Amino acid sequence: FLLLSLYFPALLLLLCPLWDVSQSLPVTGKGPMTDSCVFYAKTLLSNITDVLTQNQLFTGIDCTKQNVELNMNTNTASVCAPGDSTCSGFTPSQFSQELCLTNIGEDLRYYYQFLAAQPDPDSFLGPTVLLSLKELMENCFSWSLPADSALKKASADHPSTYDERLSLCKVLKGFHVRTITINRAIGFIHSGEDTN
Ligand SMILES: *[C@@H]1O[C@H](CO)[C@@H](O)[C@H](O)[C@H]1NC(C)=O
């Protein structure tokens, strides 16, 4: 009986498919989610919401009618759900902060690389979403940007094509949804740190 109760949580971890870490790269959080991390995440969300209303970015496209395209390379929604019952048997104390932060870090990096490569001749993205994204990554996810200048040069300042605008719309909508999840997770981790 003792053995069983010792190994039962580990067994659940093995059996529960949501906890698959095989895709994760070692990008761990810097440490505590501070007040400023909560602030940076909120700023990012509000900048994304704002940029989605900039019709000039989506000329010829009704962005509100497009599908949401989520980053499917991470498991943020499932691993960052505290006390979620999708994976029965898990209590909030078994929520893996590290796994959640690793997935968020990968999301942020994915969206940074995507957005930095978009044509942005009128600077709709650079001083808004990209800037707040960079601040969140650098201050809360130990991320530095070695290839910053290279990335900037790669994004030619040519006017965007229809396909580029369509893709930008869908990906930004996905980023918006994901950033709501990220805000909840960072808020949850932040509040947990307050009570510990
Ligand atoms: C980004 O969002 C923050 C918070 O709402 C706002 O203060 C800031 O002006 C926004 N940045 C830009 C450039 O829109």
Side-chain angles (χ1 to χ4, degrees):
F1 175 73
L2 185 63
L3 273 180
L4 188 67
S5 43
L6 273 175
Y7 286 112
F8 193 54
L11 207 61
L12 269 179
L13 268 175
L14 285 175
L15 295 176
C16 192
L18 294 180
W19 290 69
D20 178 8
V21 292
S22 59
Q23 292 182 338
S24 302
L25 297 168
V27 183
T28 44
K30 194 182 208 168
M33 282 292 122
T34 58
D35 287 344
S36 21
C37 297
V38 174
F39 171 79
Y40 289 133
K42 274 191 189 142
T43 305
L44 175 63
L45 181 57
S46 101
N47 291 162
I48 296 170
T49 309
D50 185 62
V51 95
L52 274 167
T53 67
Q54 303 298 317
N55 292 327
Q56 300 99 308
L57 268 179
F58 314 110
T59 308
I61 294 157
D62 186 349
C63 190
T64 58
K65 294 205 174 115
Q66 303 305 318
N67 292 330
V68 173
E69 200 171 287
L70 281 167
N71 176 17
M72 300 306 283
N73 300 314
T74 57
N75 299 313
T76 310
S78 51
V79 299
C80 292
D84 192 292
S85 58
T86 348
C87 202
S88 60
F90 278 82
T91 60
S93 63
Q94 284 160 318
F95 161 79
S96 167
Q97 180 169 313
E98 194 190 335
L99 191 51
C100 172
L101 290 176
T102 301
N103 275 265
I104 292 177
E106 285 175 33
D107 272 332
L108 298 179
R109 207 169 43 170
Y110 166 85
Y111 285 112
Y112 191 92
Q113 281 165 0
F114 176 86
L115 292 172
Q118 299 303 305
D120 188 24
D122 299 312
S123 297
F124 279 114
L125 301 170
T128 61
V129 176
L130 268 175
L131 183 67
S132 47
L133 181 51
K134 191 164 169 255
E135 277 182 332
L136 178 61
M137 292 165 90
E138 284 179 348
N139 292 294
C140 309
F141 290 87
S142 317
W143 193 73
S144 54
L145 198 53
D148 192 14
S149 45
L151 278 173
K152 279 221 172 83
K153 268 177 202 148
S155 67
D157 280 347
H158 67 84
S160 57
T161 65
Y162 180 88
D163 285 347
E164 282 171 335
R165 294 196 292 277
L166 186 60
S167 158
L168 176 64
C169 160
K170 292 176 175 180
V171 172
L172 270 177
K173 286 175 89 164
F175 190 24
H176 185 244
V177 170
R178 187 56 45 93
T179 303
I180 292 170
T181 306
I182 290 171
N183 265 266
R184 281 207 198 107
I186 289 178
F188 172 77
I189 291 167
H190 175 68
S191 67
E193 278 162 0
D194 275 354
T195 57
N196 283 340

